[in-house]
Amino acid sequence: MSKINNRYDFIYIFDVQDGNPNGDPDSGNLPRMDAETGEGLVSDVCLKRKIRNYVQVVKGCAEGYDIFIKEKAVLNKAIEGAYEDERVKNAKEADKTDAARDVMCRRYFDVRTFGAVMSTGEKTKNAGQVRGPIQLTFGRSVSPIISQEHSITRMAVASDKESDKQAGGNRTIGRKSTVPYGLYVARGFVSANLAQQTGFSEEDLDLVWEALSNMFDCDRSAARGLMSARRLIVFKHGSVLGNAPANKLFDLVSIEQIDKEKTNRSFADYRIVIDRDNCPANVEIIEVI
């Protein structure tokens, strides 16, 4: 595995058409929205979940690529499992937590990528905490979104009791919320320092870029409509600590609405411009998508 020796910052641009990219359970699963601006939101947790799911599909349970935070997992059992490793058994009592943390980083892709709190089990069997080298912001839509609610009909019922109430009509009404179109932007950061602490490698980073490029195609849902990865713009610094503030690099990318009088309904309604001429020295701009 190749050690990461460069800091990275990146901009991830994706869109949704006639779907709900990230429902809010506290609001009847309506699309998340900034109440003041009307801009749509997609949580960082949602994006990380899709990356995890992609890695699970591509790697399965291959050594070093298992997923710690997965559906119906019992986390403490996984943490206790690290104590069965010979490296932990042979460690001094005072060093067992650190040894277990290293084992968890080696076993689980998402632990060494995003970090994890692993001190939830017994005092004698915990793996401490890990700060992950990759962090993501919420995705925020470029323009305000409109949340539409649709009535849908199911031509069946779940039980004889429901059927009797309808005298055999056997229809139920439901509701579905969608965003007609939204172009979202999320920002991300890769810390070389933390990567070296968790063992996150260049090969792992390539897998993250691959996941961001393809994860929507492995996670289709009628509720989410048509979601697509549109651009992934990476700023590669020439050093471990970096050569420019992330906000200045992000300002080099502008997303413009081509016709401000028109209702936006596709990616073609926007223009993305990268100001390469003002890119700081020792920073390379890479367009993965």
Side-chain angles (χ1 to χ4, degrees):
M1 292 290 186
S2 304
K3 186 170 69 172
I4 290 182
N5 294 310
N6 306 84
R7 195 186 100 194
Y8 295 84
D9 301 302
F10 60 92
I11 291 179
Y12 184 54
I13 303 172
F14 60 97
D15 63 1
V16 61
Q17 185 175 16
D18 297 325
N20 185 350
N22 184 205
D24 185 349
D26 287 332
S27 299
N29 210 44
L30 292 173
R32 295 180 191 270
M33 185 185 298
D34 185 322
E36 293 185 324
T37 65
E39 294 166 345
L41 299 172
V42 172
S43 72
D44 59 321
V45 175
C46 174
L47 296 173
K48 288 177 182 178
R49 176 76 271 150
K50 295 183 190 305
I51 293 172
R52 286 183 171 99
N53 290 347
Y54 180 82
V55 172
Q56 259 192 296
V57 169
V58 172
K59 294 293 186 178
C61 292
E63 185 177 356
Y65 290 96
D66 201 356
I67 297 298
F68 180 56
I69 307 291
K70 56 187 173 184
E71 187 176 2
K72 298 181 180 179
V74 180
L75 302 182
N76 285 349
K77 288 184 178 179
I79 296 168
E80 290 168 8
Y83 277 76
E84 300 302 317
D85 190 282
E86 291 299 321
R87 286 165 289 191
V88 181
K89 289 181 178 179
N90 296 330
K92 296 179 181 178
E93 197 63 35
D95 299 331
K96 285 189 180 295
T97 297
D98 290 341
R101 182 169 60 244
D102 290 342
V103 168
M104 293 295 288
C105 285
R106 290 191 183 98
R107 284 184 180 178
Y108 297 101
F109 175 82
D110 55 336
V111 172
R112 65 176 179 271
T113 303
F114 303 126
V117 175
M118 300 178 292
S119 55
T120 56
E122 301 176 16
K123 288 184 179 180
T124 55
K125 288 188 177 180
N126 82 79
Q129 297 185 24
V130 174
R131 284 184 62 199
I134 290 190
Q135 300 300 328
L136 289 163
T137 68
F138 270 44
R140 178 178 287 270
S141 68
V142 176
S143 307
I145 63 167
I146 296 174
S147 176
Q148 297 183 338
E149 196 168 18
H150 313 273
S151 295
I152 55 176
T153 305
R154 183 177 70 172
M155 307 298 291
V157 292
S159 66
D160 289 334
K161 186 177 181 180
E162 288 181 276
S163 179
D164 293 340
K165 283 184 178 180
Q166 296 188 28
N170 291 12
R171 293 189 181 191
T172 52
I173 302 295
R175 305 197 70 78
K176 185 175 185 178
S177 299
T178 65
V179 174
Y181 183 78
L183 182 66
Y184 292 77
V185 182
R187 280 122 181 134
F189 316 90
V190 184
S191 166
N193 282 321
L194 293 176
Q196 291 171 12
Q197 292 177 29
T198 68
F200 184 81
S201 66
E202 286 284 356
E203 289 79 7
D204 289 331
L205 184 58
D206 288 339
L207 183 56
V208 171
W209 300 148
E210 181 185 326
L212 290 171
S213 302
N214 302 313
M215 63 189 189
F216 294 126
D217 289 314
C218 293
D219 192 44
R220 294 297 181 196
S221 164
R224 284 189 284 275
L226 177 59
M227 294 191 70
S228 307
R230 293 297 186 174
R231 298 289 285 273
L232 176 54
I233 303 165
V234 178
F235 299 94
K236 181 179 181 181
H237 296 255
S239 66
V240 170
L241 296 179
N243 302 91
N247 62 295
K248 289 188 176 181
L249 298 177
F250 295 151
D251 288 344
L252 297 176
V253 179
S254 60
I255 304 174
E256 305 167 356
Q257 188 176 329
I258 296 173
D259 185 351
K260 294 185 179 180
E261 301 299 321
K262 180 183 175 183
T263 301
N264 301 308
R265 285 295 182 268
S266 75
F267 183 61
D269 294 332
Y270 292 89
R271 181 189 299 114
I272 298 175
V273 179
I274 304 174
D275 184 4
R276 295 179 179 273
D277 294 336
N278 289 312
C279 184
N282 297 318
V283 176
E284 180 185 0
I285 299 177
I286 305 169
E287 293 187 72
V288 178
I289 305 176

